[in-house]
Amino acid sequence: MEQATAQQQSVNIVTEVPGPKSVELAKRSAAALPDALSLVHPIYVDHAHGATVTDVDGNTFIDWIGGVGVMNVGHTHEAVTAAIIAQAQKFTHTDYTIVPYETYVRLCERLNASVPISGHVKTSLFNTGAETVENAVKISRVATGKSGVVCFSGAFHGRSLMAMTLTSKVHPYRAGFGPYAPEVYRAPYANPFDFDGDAEAASASALAELKKMTKTHFAAEDIACVIVEPVQGEGGFIVPPTSFLQGLRDFCDEHGAILVFDEVQSGMGRTGTLWATEQLGVEPDLILSAKSIAAGMVLSAVIGKAEVLDKVPDSGIGGTYPGNPIACEAAHAVLDAWEDGLLDRAKLVGERMKDAFDALAAEDDGIGESRGLGSMRALEFSKPGTRLPDPARVDAVQAHAQQHGLLMHKAGTGGNIIRVLVPLVITDAQLEESLTILRNAIEATRA
Ligand SMILES: Cc1ncc(COP(=O)(O)O)c(C=O)c1O
């Protein structure tokens, strides 16, 4: 891997990490905030731009987290910032369904035209990813007159009651928070890694199990929707084969259920296309979007077939804040960025990451798999010679990288996946610099 030259370096570490000001702030945080709000990187941000974050102590890091997949177009993207300022000077809130405004309508029109869903498509805006999940379930239930929901092992859909129930990982997301929402059934996700890389075997097994569950767990005709991440995010960037998603499509068609693709993490350019669904060849009824849709402004969307969304009775969905005008204007600037060529950059970043990650996996027997779609890339760490998760190694890699100026955030139900959600505006030099830091961290933590 080519070494970044001194002139090219973006990372600049000038104090201990975390620095003294961050340490002070973390103490105040511990005293003032509940213990549940612990800090992955106790480094307090002063400013951020593109793919870098500078803290209050003057240290600059390369950011592979991007606000957990929110900053795909980069921090303080010029056009996004300008759009936010301009809208803030016009008006900041009316509540769209009380006193409407044009930017909401135009955004829905653009989103409708963007999704790989055939026929008449409509969009309803919300605030968070979890809210889209709650609403997708409500919409599916009212549209079908049924109540059952099928979700998957390894899924993450958020932290509200229904979203938490649909989420798979027990600690820390579910334990102690029951009782959970009723009528939710969890089927296996098709994870090729569990089948020695044989994606079709993974798919056949998962679909067979789903079929079996219709005898042992629920009646297929009672299912309102099947909700699935077309590429799993928090579960570890797992890319199922098309046959698995097609099997879910067939199940929904056969039993009159709605197929919901949760693209909260995989959408908005992360995989090299606006939606991962575009590359997977299966058409859902609803697509959920949040995170990078408005580059840090709070916005989310349920996009899908008009015949489904229009089944909801008047005022059955909505809220005070959905489709806030500042967030809508930010989202327009984000969509402009994709249309203006950032998708090409996303593809290039994904290709370079894939080559580098494949090479790292080939030379370290603690890396079980290099995988992903586009720039949604991950390394799965396993105890050498086994498929057992190695979260301690991942923690060590993450800590080493942090000390050397690269911020990363792990994933996976076993906490053993290094994943990349880097802003896609990262420069070539920053990409090489960050890959060098990762390589050094992997070498330094090799047993
Ligand atoms: C696939 C997926 N769905 C839903 C959510 C929940 O989104 P939010 O945190 O905005 O509620 C997330 C968050 O990570 C996610 O990755």
Side-chain angles (χ1 to χ4, degrees):
M1 193 179 302
E2 106 198 16
Q3 206 68 32
T5 65
Q7 300 93 295
Q8 287 172 323
Q9 273 187 354
S10 291
V11 169
N12 187 24
I13 302 297
V14 295
T15 68
E16 299 277 291
V17 176
K21 291 182 182 158
S22 282
V23 169
E24 266 319 299
L25 286 164
K27 279 188 199 147
R28 284 171 52 194
S29 180
L33 281 60
D35 291 350
L37 302 181
S38 63
L39 306 171
V40 173
H41 294 286
I43 290 159
Y44 279 78
V45 181
D46 181 72
H47 59 276
H49 187 64
T52 63
V53 166
T54 301
D55 72 11
V56 288
D57 292 290
N59 300 304
T60 297
F61 302 82
I62 294 177
D63 175 14
W64 273 16
I65 307 168
V68 196
V70 171
M71 304 311 302
N72 286 358
V73 302
H75 295 283
T76 53
H77 184 284
E78 206 179 322
V80 174
T81 304
I84 291 169
I85 293 170
Q87 182 58 41
Q89 287 169 336
K90 286 165 93 181
F91 64 93
T92 58
H93 178 77
T94 60
D95 186 334
Y96 178 78
T97 56
I98 309 299
V99 181
Y101 37 88
E102 188 266 353
T103 186
Y104 187 122
V105 186
R106 191 160 38 91
L107 181 59
C108 293
E109 289 168 347
R110 291 182 80 177
L111 291 170
N112 295 343
S114 78
V115 289
I117 297 179
S118 56
H120 189 181
V121 173
K122 288 191 170 183
T123 292
S124 185
L125 299 177
F126 296 97
N127 299 295
T128 65
E131 240 185 282
T132 63
V133 170
E134 297 284 336
N135 282 283
V137 172
K138 280 173 63 177
I139 292 164
S140 299
R141 284 178 168 167
V142 89
T144 60
K146 305 190 275 184
S147 57
V149 181
V150 171
C151 62
F152 294 91
S153 54
F156 185 89
H157 295 291
R159 290 176 167 92
S160 56
L161 179 58
M162 176 51 79
M164 167 190 74
T165 304
L166 296 170
T167 289
S168 181
K169 194 169 177 173
V170 175
H171 292 280
Y173 302 126
R174 295 162 55 88
F177 296 126
Y180 308 113
E183 294 301 319
V184 170
Y185 304 97
R186 190 176 309 286
Y189 195 78
N191 183 354
F193 186 63
D194 292 339
F195 288 78
D196 249 335
D198 186 340
E200 292 309 323
S203 170
S205 166
L207 292 172
E209 188 57 33
L210 175 64
K211 194 162 181 201
K212 211 157 92 191
M213 287 175 75
T214 64
K215 309 265 184 295
T216 56
H217 288 65
F218 57 84
E221 63 272 23
D222 289 343
I223 297 302
C225 65
V226 172
I227 179 163
V228 63
E229 293 159 88
V231 180
Q232 262 189 1
E234 302 298 310
F237 285 22
I238 299 162
V239 189
T242 290
S243 60
F244 174 64
L245 299 173
Q246 186 58 51
L248 302 182
R249 176 73 272 172
D250 294 344
F251 176 93
C252 289
D253 289 344
E254 193 183 337
H255 302 293
I258 307 293
L259 182 60
V260 183
F261 278 5
D262 181 343
E263 286 237 40
V264 166
Q265 193 157 158
S266 61
M268 282 293 134
R270 172 55 46 194
T271 64
T273 45
L274 194 63
W275 309 103
T277 305
E278 292 169 57
Q279 298 175 61
L280 298 170
V282 176
E283 187 182 318
D285 301 301
L286 301 177
I287 287 182
L288 312 183
S289 181
K291 288 195 183 279
S292 273
I293 190 172
M297 293 294 100
V298 178
L299 188 74
S300 63
V302 176
I303 312 160
K305 290 192 174 293
E307 71 215 45
V308 175
L309 282 154
D310 281 339
K311 291 267 169 43
V312 181
D314 186 30
S315 301
I317 53 175
T320 302
Y321 293 111
N324 169 272
I326 298 177
C328 286
E329 281 299 300
H332 282 296
V334 167
L335 291 176
D336 290 345
W338 297 124
E339 286 169 13
D340 292 346
L342 194 54
L343 276 177
D344 295 333
R345 179 74 198 148
K347 287 190 189 88
L348 285 177
V349 170
E351 282 162 18
R352 176 66 190 112
M353 287 264 176
K354 180 179 185 319
D355 287 348
F357 278 27
D358 287 354
L360 287 167
E363 65 195 36
D364 191 314
D365 63 0
I367 299 177
E369 192 171 59
S370 158
R371 61 168 174 258
L373 188 66
S375 68
M376 194 170 179
R377 297 230 74 85
L379 290 172
E380 169 138 5
F381 284 75
S382 324
K383 303 243 168 68
T386 76
R387 285 179 184 276
L388 297 173
D390 192 355
R393 177 93 187 275
V394 166
D395 287 344
V397 169
Q398 196 168 288
H400 190 282
Q402 183 216 63
Q403 291 298 305
H404 293 82
L406 174 61
L407 301 180
M408 295 189 301
H409 187 26
K410 65 186 176 181
T413 36
N416 63 321
I417 317 283
I418 282 181
R419 56 150 161 200
V420 182
L421 290 169
V422 67
L424 298 163
V425 291
I426 188 168
T427 65
D428 288 342
Q430 288 167 343
L431 190 50
E432 296 311 322
E433 192 181 347
S434 51
L435 285 167
T436 299
I437 297 170
L438 174 65
R439 168 181 286 266
N440 291 342
I442 286 174
E443 280 171 4
T445 56
R446 195 171 289 150

